[in-house]
Amino acid sequence: MTINALSAIPQIGKMLEQAFLSPYIERLSQPVVADLVREQVNGYKKDHLRNPEHIPFSLETLYSRIERACWQVNQQRLQRVINGTGVIVHTNLGRSPLDADVWQAVTEVNTHYSNLEIDLTTGKRGKRKGLLQQLMHYLVKGEDTLVVNNNASSIYLMLHEIAKGKEVIVSRGEQIQIGGGFRIPDILALSGAKLVEVGTTNITTVDDYLDAVTDNTAMVLIVHTSNFKIRGFTQSPDIKDLADLLPDHVVLAVDQGSGTTTENLPDEPSVMSYIKAGADLVCFSGDKIIGGPQAGMVTGKQSLIKRLEKNPMMRAFRPSRIVYSLLEELAVRKLNQLKTGQGIAERSITQAEVTLENKAQQLAEGFGERLRIVRSEMTVGGGSLPDQQSPSSSVEVNAISLSADKLLEIMRNWPLPVIGVIKHDRVQLNLATISDDEITYLRQQLAALFDLQLRGSCSNVTDTKKVEAAI
Ligand SMILES: *Cc1c(COP(=O)(O)O)cnc(C)c1O
């Protein structure tokens, strides 16, 4: 009987032709799905043979096991999610999404051959960075600018080229860790530079820096403490005073971090403000606030930028044409003051309170007690503007029998996953980071959830499949 039942299992090849697997093959590839099917068939056979009374064989159960396994693997694929956290540049959610128009605009250059390293006027080998140097000059006033793959590389490159075997003076208040495992003192050690600490956690003065300068000092590194803020009795040096008083053999470098150029974000010192104050080099990320692709940029004195570009590590750090083309496109749009050149941080943080309230009303409309509009706050996040919060509107979800944690989990597993936050034991969705077109999706998914709940059948993640079916 048992053996007969098992012989009803189709061959793997036949099984792969089942309609329910075709979207998974499309998303995950045929070999990955074939292995998942094999694994599930073997597992199910074993379970059944071990305990045929309790686990009677059914093809339907086998298929649902296979589908669940495929679903779980599919969740690991990089995919769009809805950010309901109110944290605009969210490190776990891909930081700054690119503007769709900017992305569109570079399709042609990236899907064809390009003049990446040929000078079209002379036919000779050309520079990789194209027009970016000039564009950045208008945006941030640096004489020259170079691009690497991320800002961590910028810092390493500056230290390695300028301060290897020499001393770098850093304030004790700025020896920070940025994200997972990236610590300023560690990267300094890696680059072969010697750290000289000055000041205290809360106070560092211009004299602290000047007193620490020796003949062997190569650099003063100022790090914008962008992912935390020390409040109260604090003092950091005026960059202009420091620039004026430092001896010529010491390079004044600033890790600005977020990359603020023309964006209208008060209280975040811009890259240009550091250059104007006399910094020799300023480095920053290409995505966080400026709104481009992940990249790092170093701008400042041309003689120093040229040196950095000749460093052998530049070969390892140099970005692809995808990055250059996106940055060029973005810079032009910024200089032309187009909305599409703003970047997500500026676009989101400058939303009017009434716009956010309207979005919350649109989302909540018709859901009665289930969705309640509450006041909340948004932040830029991602290592920018640590102290700054702006008013926002959120929608609080009343999911009756579900705990907040369970509801978050269910939402993460929706067809278009949603990342919410828990406030006062309830799940909230913050409209600051939710776009207009996402409201429709959210309403559909919430409606399906509430509908299932009414019928008493949505208690765990597997039921997200039912949500999907209901939409
Ligand atoms: C974000 C940040 C970095 C790291 O930038 P990546 O682009 O993630 O490498 C370094 N320094 C500061 C001050 C930052 O804010």
Side-chain angles (χ1 to χ4, degrees):
M1 178 67 185
T2 294
I3 303 296
N4 273 350
L6 290 179
S7 68
I9 300 176
Q11 304 224 303
I12 303 291
K14 271 270 165 283
M15 231 182 280
L16 288 173
E17 289 166 14
Q18 292 282 329
F20 77 94
L21 285 179
S22 72
Y24 291 112
I25 292 173
E26 214 167 278
R27 295 261 318 152
L28 306 175
S29 85
Q30 206 262 9
V32 168
V33 175
D35 264 352
L36 286 170
V37 170
R38 225 169 270 127
E39 230 172 77
Q40 291 305 314
V41 168
N42 291 341
Y44 190 45
K45 266 189 196 162
K46 249 192 223 145
D47 291 352
H48 171 67
L49 289 174
R50 205 177 295 139
N51 198 349
E53 315 289 286
H54 265 92
I55 309 176
F57 177 79
S58 114
L59 210 50
E60 200 178 311
T61 311
L62 173 61
Y63 285 167
S64 81
R65 275 188 174 206
I66 292 171
E67 173 148 35
R68 183 162 169 71
C70 289
W71 171 264
Q72 278 174 350
V73 174
N74 182 49
Q75 292 302 75
Q76 294 164 29
R77 245 201 93 163
L78 214 46
Q79 57 194 285
R80 175 180 178 181
V81 305
I82 292 179
N83 175 4
T85 66
V87 179
I88 299 164
V89 181
H90 197 302
T91 313
N92 303 142
L93 305 180
R95 296 217 311 215
S96 294
L98 291 160
D99 186 278
D101 282 357
V102 172
W103 181 253
Q104 277 292 322
V106 302
T107 305
E108 185 167 291
V109 65
N110 281 298
T111 53
H112 294 79
Y113 294 112
S114 65
N115 60 341
L116 185 66
E117 286 188 8
I118 189 170
D119 181 335
L120 291 177
T121 52
T122 62
K124 296 214 172 79
R125 187 172 175 157
K127 287 182 310 184
R128 196 165 249 253
K129 56 186 175 180
L131 201 62
L132 198 63
Q133 170 195 345
Q134 283 101 303
L135 296 171
M136 290 310 291
H137 179 71
Y138 288 101
L139 271 180
V140 301
K141 294 282 175 278
E143 288 170 12
D144 200 350
T145 301
L146 69 78
V147 189
V148 284
N149 281 320
N150 48 49
N151 194 34
S153 311
S154 313
I155 300 165
Y156 181 88
L157 193 62
M158 292 195 309
L159 291 168
H160 188 255
E161 176 57 39
I162 291 164
K164 190 167 181 242
K166 297 193 175 160
E167 292 163 6
V168 176
I169 306 172
V170 186
S171 158
R172 287 198 174 83
E174 296 173 358
Q175 293 182 25
I176 57 172
Q177 168 156 350
I178 302 145
F182 179 73
R183 291 190 167 166
I184 294 291
D186 294 344
I187 202 151
L188 235 133
L190 258 176
S191 70
K194 184 163 167 272
L195 173 65
V196 177
E197 302 175 276
V198 294
T200 60
T201 312
N202 57 335
I203 308 268
T204 307
T205 63
V206 171
D207 281 340
D208 288 331
Y209 285 100
L210 296 179
D211 290 347
V213 171
T214 69
D215 289 345
N216 201 31
T217 305
M219 183 188 283
V220 164
L221 177 64
I222 306 283
V223 183
H224 180 49
T225 51
S226 47
N227 52 1
F228 73 104
K229 193 141 195 155
I230 299 172
R231 279 189 247 198
F233 182 53
T234 65
Q235 189 179 336
S236 35
D238 185 84
I239 303 290
K240 189 165 172 0
D241 291 347
L242 192 54
D244 289 345
L245 294 168
L246 274 179
D248 286 348
H249 74 280
V250 181
V251 169
L252 178 57
V254 180
D255 173 14
Q256 190 271 349
S258 64
T260 320
T261 60
T262 56
E263 302 78 13
N264 177 23
L265 298 170
D267 289 350
E268 180 82 344
S270 69
V271 175
M272 193 193 290
S273 74
Y274 285 116
I275 294 283
K276 283 190 168 165
D280 300 306
L281 292 173
V282 183
C283 70
F284 51 99
S285 290
D287 62 328
K288 287 181 180 169
I289 285 187
I290 194 170
Q294 184 189 309
M297 284 189 262
V298 189
T299 191
K301 293 247 162 67
Q302 186 158 48
S303 55
L304 293 173
I305 299 288
K306 288 266 175 293
R307 270 179 67 190
L308 299 188
E309 282 180 333
K310 289 201 185 102
N311 186 290
M313 287 310 288
M314 188 64 198
R315 186 66 178 77
F317 293 155
R318 69 177 195 181
S320 73
R321 58 156 194 269
I322 304 177
V323 168
Y324 282 113
S325 59
L326 285 166
L327 286 173
E328 264 187 0
E329 184 65 34
L330 186 76
V332 168
R333 284 170 194 248
K334 277 191 192 293
L335 291 168
N336 286 344
Q337 296 175 14
L338 300 185
K339 230 181 157 46
T340 52
Q342 273 182 334
I344 189 94
E346 180 175 19
R347 200 156 5 104
S348 303
I349 202 90
T350 53
Q351 292 173 99
E353 275 179 69
V354 47
T355 310
L356 292 161
E357 270 171 38
N358 283 343
K359 283 207 277 187
Q361 272 159 12
Q362 267 178 50
L363 176 56
E365 200 190 329
F367 282 106
E369 304 275 274
R370 296 297 209 134
L371 298 182
R372 195 166 71 94
I373 299 171
V374 293
R375 286 187 164 279
S376 62
E377 281 167 336
M378 63 172 128
T379 72
V380 174
S384 338
L385 302 158
D387 229 7
Q388 233 171 280
Q389 308 212 310
S390 306
S392 180
S393 289
S394 291
V395 162
E396 185 183 87
V397 186
N398 176 8
I400 309 175
S401 56
L402 293 172
S403 72
D405 280 325
K406 194 81 212 170
L407 180 59
L408 277 189
E409 184 187 348
I410 288 175
M411 288 180 162
R412 283 198 307 272
N413 287 281
W414 272 347
L416 177 45
V418 176
I419 313 296
V421 285
I422 299 178
K423 287 260 163 74
H424 315 297
D425 292 327
R426 289 272 171 85
V427 170
Q428 287 191 3
L429 299 173
N430 193 318
L431 276 300
T433 42
I434 297 172
S435 66
D436 291 339
D437 66 318
E438 287 170 341
I439 289 175
T440 316
Y441 288 118
L442 266 175
R443 286 179 59 80
Q444 283 171 354
Q445 296 190 118
L446 285 163
L449 170 75
F450 295 147
D451 190 41
L452 284 168
Q453 272 200 313
L454 277 182
R455 290 190 258 131
S457 69
C458 193
S459 56
N460 60 44
V461 183
T462 22
D463 289 329
T464 52
K465 296 304 296 171
K466 292 181 196 158
V467 174
E468 185 177 27
I471 286 171

